[in-house]
Amino acid sequence: MTELYDAPSDQQVPPGDDESTSDEESPRSGGLPPGAKAFFDWVVVVGVALLVAILVRTFLLAHFVVEGTSMYSTLDTGDRVFVNKLSYRLHDPNRGDVVVLHELTGSTERDLIKRVIALPGEEISMENCEVFIDENPNDSIPAQRLNEPYLDPTVVTPGRCGTSIQPTVVPEDHVFVMGDNRPGSQDSRALGSISYDDLVGRAFVVFWPRSSWQWL
């Protein structure tokens, strides 16, 4: 390792031993002029940033724009949400999660956003707009009414909640999903239970518009 130091005033520095060099003479510069070197540095920075962004979007985080009113008044058309795509690689879905899922109808595929209502192995039913969950259909404990504070009482009212649900057991590795706007949502009442494989991830925050910002 070369150390730089001040030569004593009575000591002459031999010609050719001066440690200072210009950028053009430095072997580490590769002979590139300053402008080209700066351009190359920026190309590397931008390339790495794009690679990181692609990896994050592919495996970790995505954002979606809500279209339609099936989740009103929790979500409305134009709301933008961040979705954690890693969530269900680390743990199973939880009741109450807001999820983005793939729906395949014929040759058409689209993404929907709904709420997880019932989990694998549970029996779900709905009468008079009240949802009942039996966590273990094989025991003698009756189904319990589900408390749903996320529903807007001006949107979901007695007699106005869409199709009722006959007792239905959710298969393993599936969830039963519904929209918060019960009378205006196409969900598991029509689509059936949703496979884990069709879950894109968990929507966890509305980030735009600012007036709609909220954790989900």
Side-chain angles (χ1 to χ4, degrees), residues 13-30:
V13 179
D17 285 352
D18 191 346
E19 292 286 344
S20 64
T21 58
S22 68
D23 200 35
E24 291 78 13
E25 297 173 345
S26 173
R28 288 177 293 181
S29 68

Side-chain angles (χ1 to χ4, degrees), residues 120-157:
E122 296 182 339
E123 183 181 80
I124 180 173
S125 60
M126 186 175 75
E127 285 291 340
N128 298 322
C129 299
E130 293 186 329
V131 173
F132 292 87
I133 300 291
D134 189 343
E135 295 183 0
N136 189 351
N138 297 321
D139 63 22
S140 58
I141 300 175
Q144 301 295 310
R145 186 177 69 84
L146 182 63
N147 181 31
E148 301 188 274
Y150 39 78
L151 296 182
D152 187 335
T154 66
V155 175
V156 181
T157 59

Side-chain angles (χ1 to χ4, degrees), residues 11-88:
Q11 184 175 351
Q12 302 249 344
V13 179
D17 285 352
D18 191 346
E19 292 286 344
S20 64
T21 58
S22 68
D23 200 35
E24 291 78 13
E25 297 173 345
S26 173
R28 288 177 293 181
S29 68
L32 291 175
K37 187 173 184 299
F39 175 77
F40 178 76
D41 289 343
W42 274 109
V43 168
V44 171
V45 169
V46 171
V48 170
L50 288 174
L51 178 61
V52 170
I54 292 171
L55 291 175
V56 167
R57 179 169 176 79
T58 302
F59 298 106
L60 181 60
L61 192 69
H63 93 270
F64 289 81
V65 181
V66 176
E67 295 182 5
T69 58
S70 70
M71 283 293 290
Y72 186 81
S73 61
T74 303
L75 298 169
D76 203 355
T77 295
D79 286 349
R80 295 175 180 265
V81 298
F82 277 131
V83 173
N84 185 342
K85 301 176 72 172
L86 191 60
S87 283
Y88 302 134

